[in-house]
Amino acid sequence: MPGSLEPLDLGVQVPYHFRCPISLELMRDPVTVCTGQTYDRPSIESWVATGNSTCPVTRAPLTDFTFIPNHTLRRLIQDWCVANRAFGVERIPTPKQPADPSLLRSLLNQSSSDSTPFHIRVAALRRLRNLARDSDKNRSLIASNNVQEFLLDIIFNISYVASFNCEDLNHEALALLVYFSLSETECAYVLSDADKIGYLRRLLFHPSVDVRVNSAAMIEILAAGTRSSELRAQISNVDEVYEGVIDILKSPISYPRALKIGIKALFALCLVKQTRNKAVAAGAPAVLVDRLADFEKCDAERALATVELLCRIPAGCAAFAEHALTVPLLVKIILKISDRATEYATGALLALCSESERCQSEAVAAGVLTQLLLLVQSDCTERAKRKAQLLLKLLRDSWPQDSIGNSDDYACSVVPF
C-alpha cells in the first residue's frame, strides 16, 4: 500500500499506533468501534462481514456495529506522511464517509416514485450516482435496495424514452445503473428485446460523451453478465454497435474512463466469435494498435486479449498485418506488462507470423528472438511458454545464422519439439 509498506524498505519506521491491528498496515480510514479500539475501516468491515461479532483486540462483544471516524488519528497519520515525504511516503487522502442509510432510502424513494416531479427525480438520481461513485460501501447499501429493477424500468420505459422532457431522467438512471452488476434474468430482460438493444445503440451516438460511455458500459455489463451465447449475439450482431464502441476508444487520453469502458465493451463483444468480422470492418485493429500505449495495465491486458481474438479470424489477421506498427509494438511490449499480457501478445504474434512471411521478417527485425528466449526461461504461464516455443519453431528459418549459432539457449528452447 502506498505510504505504508513501501517506506519500511527505506528505513522509515511506521508508528505502531498508526497501524491497523488487523492488517498491520498504515491506516487510511481509521474508525473506532464500541470497545474503544481503532481499526482501518475496510479491515473491520471485512471482519464483521465474515460473521465475527467480537472486537479483534479485546475479544469483547460488539454490541454496536456503528464505526465512528477517528478524525484526530487520521490527521496525525496524514501529518506523519507529509513529514516523511522525502522517504517516498505518500499522504493518504481524506476518506469520504459512507452515506447515511436513511438518506439513501429517501433518495431512492424520490427517484423511483412516478408521482414525484421529474426534476426532483433527476436530482435524486444524480445525488445517488455521486454517492455510488464515492465508495464500495455506498454502492453496497444502494444495491441492497434492489435498485437495478426500478432503474431498468426508467431507462427502458417506452413513454419515458419517447418524451424529450424525460431524457435527463433516462440518462441519469443509466449513469447510476452502470455502477452495479445485473442478474441473468435482468440481462435477459434487455437482451431479448430488440427495442431495448436499439435504444442502447442509439445512445452510443448521443452528442454527450458521458451518455455514449454509459451506454457502452451497459452493453459490456449485459454481454458479460449472461451465460447465453444466443443473447450475447443479440447485442453484438446489431448494426453499428461496434462502430459506436470503437468511436469511444478514439476519445482523447484526457478522458481515461472512455478508454477503460471502451476496451471492456469491445472485448466483451468480441467474445462472440461469429460477429468478430463486424469489429474488423468497424476498424478495431487500427484503433487497438494506435491506442495500445495509452491503456493502464489491466486495460492493456484486455486490449491484447482482443487483438489475439481478432487475429483468430482471417480478416482480423490481415488487418493487423497491414498496420505497420502491429508487429514491432507487440514485440516491444511482450514482456513489459504482465504474464497475461505476455501470453496474449505472444499468441497474436504467433497467429500473424503463421499467416504472413512479411510479419515473420518484421518480428525478427524488431528483436523477437531475444524476447522469446527470455520468455521461455521466465516464470510466465505455461501457455505463454508453449506459444513462444511454437513461434520460435516457426521462425527458425528466419533467424540470422550467427544468432542461432551463438545461442545455446535457442538450441535448448527447441528441444521439446
Side-chain angles (χ1 to χ4, degrees):
M1 180 187 300
S4 59
L5 298 181
E6 180 73 17
L8 293 178
D9 297 333
L10 303 176
V12 178
Q13 182 64 42
V14 177
Y16 175 79
H17 55 286
F18 287 178
R19 293 176 177 269
C20 174
I22 299 175
S23 68
L24 301 181
E25 295 182 349
L26 186 73
M27 288 187 282
R28 304 173 69 84
D29 186 7
V31 294
T32 302
V33 300
C34 60
T35 61
Q37 296 295 322
T38 298
Y39 304 93
D40 203 17
R41 184 186 294 278
S43 297
I44 189 62
E45 286 181 344
S46 296
W47 170 266
V48 171
T50 53
N52 296 294
S53 59
T54 59
C55 174
V57 171
T58 67
R59 296 299 178 183
L62 292 174
T63 57
D64 184 352
F65 291 96
T66 301
F67 304 136
I68 308 301
N70 192 328
H71 297 299
T72 300
L73 180 57
R74 193 233 325 135
R75 292 190 188 101
L76 289 172
I77 293 174
Q78 289 176 322
D79 290 343
W80 177 85
C81 291
V82 171
N84 289 276
R85 185 168 49 194
F87 296 96
V89 181
E90 297 180 8
R91 182 182 183 277
I92 62 171
T94 300
K96 295 182 178 180
Q97 298 306 314
D100 183 348
S102 62
L103 170 63
L104 292 179
R105 286 193 294 270
S106 175
L107 293 172
L108 287 165
N109 288 334
Q110 289 178 6
S111 59
S112 60
S113 174
D114 288 335
S115 61
T116 303
F118 280 127
H119 70 280
I120 295 179
R121 297 181 70 182
V122 170
L125 285 171
R126 187 171 294 132
R127 192 167 181 192
L128 283 168
R129 172 165 58 90
N130 291 333
L131 291 171
R133 183 174 55 198
D134 283 347
S135 69
D136 290 336
K137 180 69 173 180
N138 286 352
R139 287 191 288 275
S140 177
L141 287 171
I142 295 171
S144 66
N145 290 273
N146 297 319
V147 67
Q148 295 94 325
E149 182 178 346
F150 86 80
L151 288 177
L152 284 169
D153 184 58
I154 292 175
I155 296 167
F156 298 109
N157 187 302
I158 300 302
S159 61
Y160 291 168
V161 172
S163 173
F164 178 78
N165 294 330
C166 303
E167 190 176 62
D168 288 345
L169 185 67
N170 294 75
H171 296 169
E172 282 298 335
L174 178 61
L176 175 58
L177 183 58
V178 297
Y179 282 101
F180 308 98
S181 59
L182 297 180
S183 68
E184 186 83 18
T185 302
E186 289 163 340
C187 288
Y189 166 74
V190 180
L191 294 175
S192 59
D193 190 324
D195 290 335
K196 294 181 175 65
I197 296 175
Y199 178 60
L200 290 176
R201 179 194 61 78
R202 292 195 298 276
L203 291 183
L204 286 173
F205 301 92
H206 193 275
S208 167
V209 64
D210 287 324
V211 173
R212 296 202 303 271
V213 171
N214 287 331
S215 179
M218 189 74 255
I219 287 171
E220 187 274 331
I221 290 170
L222 293 167
T226 179
R227 290 170 291 181
S228 169
S229 57
E230 291 80 7
L231 288 177
R232 284 198 299 269
Q234 286 286 87
I235 196 164
S236 65
N237 201 37
V238 172
D239 290 339
E240 297 184 328
V241 163
Y242 277 109
E243 286 83 348
V245 169
I246 290 168
D247 191 59
I248 289 171
L249 282 170
K250 298 176 183 178
S251 300
I253 194 172
S254 58
Y255 192 23
R257 182 170 179 258
L259 289 178
K260 179 176 290 293
I261 297 299
I263 192 57
K264 288 179 69 175
L266 181 60
F267 174 67
L269 292 169
C270 286
L271 289 175
V272 181
K273 183 177 181 180
Q274 59 265 38
T275 64
R276 289 175 194 164
N277 280 309
K278 285 181 173 286
V280 175
V287 172
L288 285 169
V289 174
D290 292 341
R291 301 311 300 266
L292 193 55
D294 298 330
F295 292 115
E296 297 179 357
K297 178 181 175 180
C298 62
D299 299 322
E301 289 178 354
R302 282 195 189 90
L304 288 168
T306 308
V307 171
E308 186 179 14
L309 285 175
L310 294 180
C311 280
R312 293 178 183 176
I313 62 172
C317 204
F320 280 111
E322 289 176 3
H323 198 299
L325 295 180
T326 300
V327 172
L329 188 57
L330 289 174
V331 172
K332 180 180 179 180
I333 66 174
I334 199 169
L335 291 172
K336 289 189 175 181
I337 300 176
S338 67
D339 285 349
R340 285 185 178 181
T342 294
E343 181 182 329
Y344 301 142
T346 307
L349 281 170
L350 179 59
L352 289 166
C353 291
S354 296
E355 296 297 325
S356 169
E357 292 184 1
R358 179 171 59 81
C359 287
Q360 294 180 21
S361 301
E362 290 177 355
V364 172
V368 74
L369 169 59
T370 301
Q371 298 286 65
L372 293 176
L373 292 178
L374 290 172
L375 195 163
V376 295
Q377 298 175 74
S378 70
D379 295 326
C380 67
T381 66
E382 288 301 316
R383 287 192 298 182
K385 288 184 180 181
R386 286 197 297 271
K387 291 177 182 179
Q389 290 171 334
L390 288 170
L391 187 52
L392 279 168
K393 183 177 181 181
L394 176 67
L395 298 176
R396 182 184 302 173
D397 295 335
S398 301
W399 298 131
Q401 290 302 311
D402 56 343
S403 297
I404 298 176
N406 294 330
S407 178
D408 294 334
D409 291 333
Y410 175 77
C412 293
S413 70
V414 297
V415 167
F417 302 109

